[in-house]
Amino acid sequence: MSATTIGALVGGAIDAMSGDDGAADGAIKGAIAANVLKVVVPLAITYAIGWAVLRGIGELKDLAFGEME
């Protein structure tokens, strides 16, 4: 099952619990949120890993050559 479908199902279920109207608008919002998260989460993880690697390289450089001012 794709993330869009799961997002639509979860959004529709949450919207249906409020009892205001149909679950269609919640399903649409859930599908949009799932698609946004499919893009944002990998970018955030990639950024975090890159930051950690650069930070580690800096620490290794300081250990190998001493701290530079």
Side-chain angles (χ1 to χ4, degrees):
M1 216 177 238
S2 75
T4 305
T5 306
I6 293 171
L9 290 173
V10 170
I14 291 171
D15 193 37
M17 287 190 315
S18 68
D20 292 341
D21 55 357
D25 56 337
I28 292 170
K29 290 176 187 174
I32 291 170
N35 283 327
V36 169
L37 288 175
K38 280 195 301 189
V39 173
V40 172
V41 170
L43 286 175
I45 291 171
T46 302
Y47 178 82
I49 290 172
W51 179 82
V53 167
L54 286 176
R55 181 106 178 167
I57 289 172
E59 292 292 324
L60 287 175
K61 179 188 70 80
D62 289 342
L63 284 174
F65 302 112
E67 293 218 20
M68 304 250 178
E69 294 183 10

